[in-house]
Amino acid sequence: MASLEASTGETFVSRLPAKARRFLRWVTTPQVVLSLFMLFLMFYMVIIPLYRMLVTTITFSENDLRYAQDAVIGQLTPFHWLRMLSSKISMIMTYEPLLHSLTISMGATLLSFTIGGAMAWMVVRTDMPGRNIINVLATVPYIMPSWTIAMAWKVLFNNGTTGGTPGILMYLTGTPPPDWISYGPLPIIISSALHYYTFFFLFVSAALMSIDSSLEEAGELAGASRARILSKITFPLVVPALMSGFIMTFSKTMGTFGGPNVLGVPVRYYTLSTMIRSNTTISAFGDAFVLAIVLILFSMTTIFINQKIVGTRKSYETIGGRGFMAQKTKLRNWKGLLTTLVIIFQVLIAVLPLILLIWSTLMLRSGDYSIGNMGLAHWIGESDVSINSGEPGVLRNPAIYKGAWNSIKLSLYTAFFTALLGVVLGYAIVKGRGTRLSKFVEQLAFIPYVIPGIAFGAVYISMFTKSVGPIPPLYGTFALLVVVSVAKHIPYSSRSGVSAMLQVGRELEEAAAVAGANAWQRFTRIIFPLTSTGFVSGFLLTFITTMRELSLIILLVTPTTAVLASMTMRYIENGNEQQANAVIIILIVLVLIGNFIISRFRGGSLKKGLGM
Amino acid sequence: MSTTITIKNLTKRFGDVAAVNNVSLTIEPGTFLTLLGPSGCGKTTLLRCIAGLEDPNEGEIYVGDKLVFSSKKGISLPAGQRDLGLVFQNYALWPHMTVYKNITFALEIQKMSKDQMDRRVKEVLAEVQMEGYADRYPREMSGGQQQRIALARMLAYRPKVFLMDEPLSNLDARLRMDMRTELKRLHHISGATTIYVTHDQVEALTMSTNIAVMKLGVIQQLDTPDKVYHFPANLFIADFIGNPKVNLLDGSVNGNGSISLGSFSVPVATYGASGEVVLAVRPEDIAVATKPMEGGVEFSAYSVLPSGADSTIVARREEMEITVKVMGISTIKMDEKIWLKFDSETLNLYDKESGNLVVSLN
Ligand SMILES: Nc1ncnc2c1ncn2[C@@H]1O[C@H](COP(=O)(O)OP(=O)(O)OP(=O)(O)O)[C@@H](O)[C@H]1O
Ligand SMILES: [Mg+2]
């Protein structure tokens, strides 16, 4: 790549040997400067924290004196690894949670594949009416917090065995539902799948839209049956999209915290994510980090195997939806029934949870769901010892306002820096295309993608408890939440940055360079204006996803930096479920407002934010 | 105002491929030089190296007396400091700016006053006959109009050298003809040294004062259009230039000073050429008759292709096929017997082994 920028004939430079000057010229080209800056940043934000985490697992800490009397603080030791992987407690601490995590991930992935895939097929490839409504409704569960459905499940099915408010079902029938319905893997899988099926729906409908129906018609002419065509022609063609949906759902559910915490922990059904949390709450960081590393390794292996099968790039990219004139399967007599069912299902999972949550927040005496027992005490009531252990209504609680403000602040900062990094990364990668530096930056930017949310948060505990280089200790600060949120978004921002930058032909910048513009002028007057749509939609999307993010920050929040998402967990853990539900409602309202702004904004959509 | 461009031993490699291979070139002030060659021969790369958008691996480039690139001295001036203007193949107008903003972009960087800018915009829009378009956005104009604005944008800051990379290739045939006229006029008026890239030989022949024919990163011949057309330095150039294509006939030099082409021979003064040669003759340099004529060789009209102003006749004799171009609509019928006669003044002989021009007979 040419140096659009170069040092001219200053005397200092002209005295240097040619080789040094050539190096200087290379190092000062804008894309190299930005690439090196990004490398430095990612090194600090990702690589060093990972390294520190690893070191913590093989070092004795003060906390270990509880278990190992002869521990010397600071000494290297395999102690944590042995304890977690081959001791009497490793079954309970590691292997069972791992098994549970895998069960939930596999289950949720398969279920969301079934729901999302089937719905995508019906919307794209059949003559089903109302596809616009279905398309919109399909994204609703995803923009709500991931544990919304888990909370609603509890309102419906709680059987009171572990305390808490008995559910509606028990109120109506008088008999408690069995434990396997109220708690554990089944409800966790269902509630996660209903949240994450959006991925499959979006990926698969994009893929189906891009398939040329003449391929299928060729099969039909050759005399193949519908089922055969579906399995032999259509299915293989959407495999890359399915794989993308698969790794995304799998790695998200592996690291998810909300659902397992609400529906698993009360019956001691631990997953890796909840086990990591319970270790960090007792400051057993060495143990927690071993689990985090196990989690990361499993997630990475899945993604790696996946990419081997599908080919490195395809699994991450999707087929661009070009929309061929596809021949639609006629649903005939089934049309009305299926359409009704799909829409009812969608409305149910989008709206019913909200109704249930609101209902529970209106209930005054716990467990009595009748109209007569309704009131606004949990919302605006003064502190009353007979209701909810004397907590004031959420709208009177200054802590809630503080949390809401923290949520908004965190989302704004994260969205801003993420969008900015997106433009910078996009520029550095696209301008340097074909160079090793550019490839390296792109690969490094991918790393946070393979680290599940809760593990990514864990990585940051070990970093920043002490000052690292010029960076002061950040643990417990609000800034740390911003750093971790931005870092976790890097893969998405680099993807959308690259695709935004690819829209801007390189000639547009070169024309400005020839006209005498320097790097700053080219960036501010040409590049940035031309990518600003991408910047704004990236900003808004990050805003809503950060607002409802929990797994990532749950290990890092403190009472003063608490955001709404973490506050709901705090309330649940203290047994104030109705308060928790009220906070979720507030959170959802904020997210919906954000989403409304996005839909007003030209060019912004959930699809774009996922880099599709 | 006009400027010399000097290029010394310039090489630009992409991986192992030398897109520009040890090119040396001096372009005199006021020259309209065309870089001509097949796709992928390195024309664009050479132009981009001159513009400063690509860093060559070796060599030196001077614009006037100013050394703008030197690999040995580690010098490479940024594109904006080389006093060049560049027109891109796809125009590269900034879509978010009006015509006015597009044109004044460079002027603003030079901190020109608003009055001066207004005047300059008026001037250049008049030069490209686009008065009244200052407030349009690029997408609100046709391809030809965008092309003119791209030209105006380059003219606005009065660069010393004009660089153009296939500026007309996205236009339809008619518009291309009009724009050629305009560009040639523009060069005539401004007298600016111009480097123009094209793979269209007609464009090269009609517009240039000089043509550099390139192949695989190497300049094969640098000459006036007339010389390049009539005395191609090697078979590659002879074959590349001319439409319909030149006739290349394998032959051998006879002792009696003629060239044997198999069943007949053509009398030429061979000036010492010997052995196997390739004889090149342009289709329009062959005389045709429907009756036997002095020195004519009998062929049969395999196909006759009239195209208005002229007609192409494909003639055959045994294995040999020769293309002939005559003026007007030909009355020759297919399969009719015809007699062809070569004019020894217009023949070129090439060494069969090396492909280089041995003797110029015209
Ligand atoms: N950025 C690049 N990276 C790698 N190879 C390149 C690059 N740019 C050009 N090349 C190669 O260099 C050679 C010359 O390319 P160039 O674009 O200069 O050809 P051209 O003569 O302009 O062709 P065309 O008439 O098709 O525009 C080609 O083989 C091309 O593949
Ligand atoms: Mg080219």
Side-chain angles (χ1 to χ4, degrees), chain B residues 43-44 89 165-166 197:
Chain B
K43 310 179 291 286
T44 298
Q89 178 172 354
D165 190 356
E166 311 207 26
V197 165

Side-chain angles (χ1 to χ4, degrees), chain A residues 409-491:
Chain A
K409 222 166 46 169
L410 175 63
S411 307
L412 284 178
Y413 278 122
T414 305
F416 176 76
F417 286 116
T418 301
L420 191 66
L421 285 192
V423 177
V424 171
L425 276 167
Y427 184 86
I429 293 171
V430 172
K431 283 288 285 186
R433 268 281 150 96
T435 64
R436 261 172 295 172
L437 185 62
S438 153
K439 206 173 266 171
F440 188 53
V441 171
E442 200 170 10
Q443 281 165 351
L444 208 58
F446 183 69
I447 291 179
Y449 187 81
V450 302
I451 303 179
I454 190 133
F456 203 75
V459 166
Y460 281 75
I461 298 178
S462 51
M463 181 77 174
F464 307 128
T465 45
K466 290 179 239 136
S467 59
V468 180
I471 298 176
L474 286 175
Y475 187 76
T477 63
F478 188 75
L480 182 62
L481 299 185
V482 177
V483 170
V484 69
S485 304
V486 172
K488 180 69 181 157
H489 276 97
I490 283 177

Side-chain angles (χ1 to χ4, degrees), chain B residues 167-168 176 180 196-198 200-208:
Chain B
L168 307 184
R176 208 179 301 173
R180 274 182 205 155
Y196 187 97
V197 165
T198 184
D200 180 339
Q201 41 151 326
V202 179
E203 209 158 281
L205 292 168
T206 49
M207 317 261 300
S208 331

Side-chain angles (χ1 to χ4, degrees), chain A residues 36-52 444 456 459-460 463-464 466-472 474 480 483-484 487 490:
Chain A
L36 293 176
F37 172 71
M38 285 313 301
L39 283 185
F40 172 79
L41 205 62
M42 287 188 282
F43 206 67
Y44 250 120
M45 287 170 74
V46 182
I47 305 297
I48 293 186
L50 274 172
Y51 167 77
R52 295 278 298 237
L444 208 58
F456 203 75
V459 166
Y460 281 75
M463 181 77 174
F464 307 128
K466 290 179 239 136
S467 59
V468 180
I471 298 176
L474 286 175
L480 182 62
V483 170
V484 69
I490 283 177

Side-chain angles (χ1 to χ4, degrees), chain B residues 9 26 52 100 102 109 149 171 176 185 256 285 334 351:
Chain B
N9 305 98
T26 303
Y100 182 89
N102 263 282
I109 288 170
I149 298 303
L171 303 181
R176 208 179 301 173
R185 200 65 224 152
N256 64 3
D285 291 336
M334 293 207 351
D351 183 70

Side-chain angles (χ1 to χ4, degrees), chain B residues 272-342:
Chain B
S274 62
E276 300 292 298
V277 292
V278 177
L279 184 142
V281 54
R282 298 240 171 243
E284 67 271 25
D285 291 336
I286 300 170
V288 194
T290 45
K291 292 189 199 88
M293 61 170 156
E294 171 74 33
V297 181
E298 190 186 317
F299 277 72
S300 115
Y302 180 71
S303 194
V304 182
L305 312 159
S307 64
D310 48 48
S311 305
T312 302
I313 297 156
V314 181
R316 276 202 179 172
R317 178 192 168 98
E318 292 159 17
E319 300 289 274
M320 186 180 287
E321 186 171 292
I322 290 183
T323 309
V324 185
K325 191 157 123 183
V326 297
M327 298 302 286
I329 306 253
S330 172
T331 53
I332 294 168
K333 306 212 166 37
M334 293 207 351
D335 288 333
E336 200 178 338
K337 270 185 191 163
I338 51 174
W339 281 263
L340 304 185
K341 188 178 162 192
F342 300 105

Side-chain angles (χ1 to χ4, degrees), chain A residues 1-6 8 18 21-22 25 506-508 510-517 521 525-526 529-530, chain B residues 48 53-55 71-76 78 80-81 84 88 90 92-97 105-106 108-109 153 157:
Chain A
M1 194 64 255
S3 69
L4 296 178
E5 213 56 42
T8 38
R21 270 196 272 170
R22 235 171 305 162
R25 201 141 39 76
R506 70 170 179 175
E507 287 90 355
L508 292 180
E510 288 173 351
V514 174
Q521 288 165 328
R525 309 242 350 233
I526 309 290
L530 290 174
Chain B
R48 289 171 58 85
L53 298 173
E54 209 82 66
D55 255 4
S71 63
K72 274 206 203 73
K73 297 187 184 154
I75 291 175
S76 178
Q81 293 175 18
L84 314 160
F88 292 83
N90 60 3
L93 292 176
W94 298 302
H96 59 302
M97 297 184 188
F105 182 82
E108 274 177 40
I109 288 170
R153 181 175 70 178
Y157 58 95

